[in-house]
Amino acid sequence: MAPAAPPPQGGPPDRKLTVLLPADVLRQLRTRVAEDDTTMRALVLDALARAGYRIDAAEIRDRRRPESRDGERR
């Protein structure tokens, strides 16, 4: 198994979560990921933040692409 990617600012490493979801819910999530051009990780973290969990905004960003100095994805 590959090591977890370190989060921004060198905090503790990410941990893996495996969850079984109804097929229809997973289809909806995948559709939203494609529509929003984001990742499942970013989508789930954003939903958890909106539900009241403390999540650093830097963790929610899509880590597939680097951000420019003004915070926009390239």
Side-chain angles (χ1 to χ4, degrees):
M1 179 187 331
Q9 289 97 29
D14 291 345
R15 301 288 183 169
K16 186 175 184 175
L17 169 70
T18 302
V19 61
L20 296 174
L21 299 171
D24 184 55
V25 172
L26 188 54
R27 271 192 296 277
Q28 291 176 68
L29 290 170
R30 287 179 176 151
T31 299
R32 176 65 62 88
V33 163
E35 289 172 352
D36 293 356
D37 189 28
T38 190
T39 62
M40 189 68 73
R41 179 185 188 279
L43 183 69
V44 169
L45 286 175
D46 182 58
L48 289 170
R50 291 173 189 267
Y53 291 88
R54 290 184 307 265
I55 298 174
D56 186 334
E59 289 288 348
I60 298 174
R61 72 175 178 81
D62 180 347
R63 297 191 296 184
R64 294 176 301 178
R65 293 182 255 164
E67 290 183 356
S68 64
R69 282 182 248 145
D70 61 2
E72 292 294 318
R73 287 190 306 193
R74 293 181 181 182

